[in-house]
Amino acid sequence: MKNIGIEYIRELLACGKYTFSRFDAEKALSRHGDSLNKILMRLKRAGWVLPLGDDFFTIVDPQNRSLGHIPPAWFVDSWAEFKGIEYYVAGLSAAELHGAAHQRPQLFQLVVNRSMRPFRLPSLSVRFLYRRTIIASMWERK
């Protein structure tokens, strides 16, 4: 029997996508409710996906399987767009992306425009700093 969940993940990876939402999976797999939940649960158990909340997932490619997650810079933009928040990378996380950090930070820091709880991935913590307004001069798009 063909595993449609893994086939869907491989299609996304072939297109260079590392994230998807539950709605995307419902549409692509033509599955809903418990059927889709079981597919996503199997993918999570096998280490192919990592849920970030209830309806957003990151794909863990084989190169990053031992780490347990993909680098945050690969998924944070899609996640923020899905959540409808504005953000910029802050502190040592920003320094690392610019090549100015003396070592890899143990947590990934984001400044967001609404209060949010931090979350933990395997071997990485994501922390949020609140700032009411984020204007374009505060960030640089890469």
Side-chain angles (χ1 to χ4, degrees):
M1 187 170 144
K2 191 163 90 170
N3 188 333
I4 62 170
I6 291 178
E7 292 299 319
Y8 174 61
I9 296 301
R10 287 187 177 145
E11 285 174 25
L12 290 174
L13 285 174
C15 296
K17 295 184 179 180
Y18 288 94
T19 61
F20 66 95
S21 68
R22 180 179 295 277
F23 176 74
D24 297 336
E26 282 179 358
K27 197 168 147 183
L29 300 174
S30 301
R31 303 288 171 101
H32 305 285
D34 286 342
S35 175
L36 181 65
N37 288 340
K38 286 181 183 178
I39 291 170
L40 294 172
M41 187 172 36
R42 279 190 218 115
L43 289 171
K44 180 184 173 191
R45 256 192 261 132
W48 280 99
V49 299
L50 182 66
L52 298 178
D54 292 334
D55 296 331
F56 190 80
F57 300 87
T58 62
I59 300 170
V60 182
D61 60 341
Q63 293 86 353
N64 292 301
R65 187 78 41 90
S66 63
L67 186 60
H69 61 84
I70 59 176
W74 293 10
F75 68 80
V76 74
D77 198 44
S78 301
W79 175 80
E81 185 179 327
F82 177 77
K83 289 284 196 179
I85 60 173
E86 293 179 358
Y87 77 97
Y88 62 90
V89 181
L92 281 176
S93 303
E96 179 191 22
L97 294 176
H98 284 282
H102 60 286
Q103 63 189 25
R104 184 174 176 263
Q106 293 184 9
L107 57 94
F108 194 77
Q109 297 171 323
L110 294 171
V111 175
V112 294
N113 64 344
R114 69 178 191 215
S115 183
M116 300 184 77
R117 287 186 167 189
F119 63 85
R120 184 147 182 77
L121 302 174
S123 75
L124 176 75
S125 228
V126 179
R127 296 278 166 88
F128 302 102
L129 306 167
Y130 172 71
R131 183 170 185 123
R132 184 176 301 175
T133 56
I134 297 176
I135 55 175
S137 65
M138 293 178 173
W139 52 269
E140 152 186 9
R141 192 146 186 82
K142 286 196 169 202

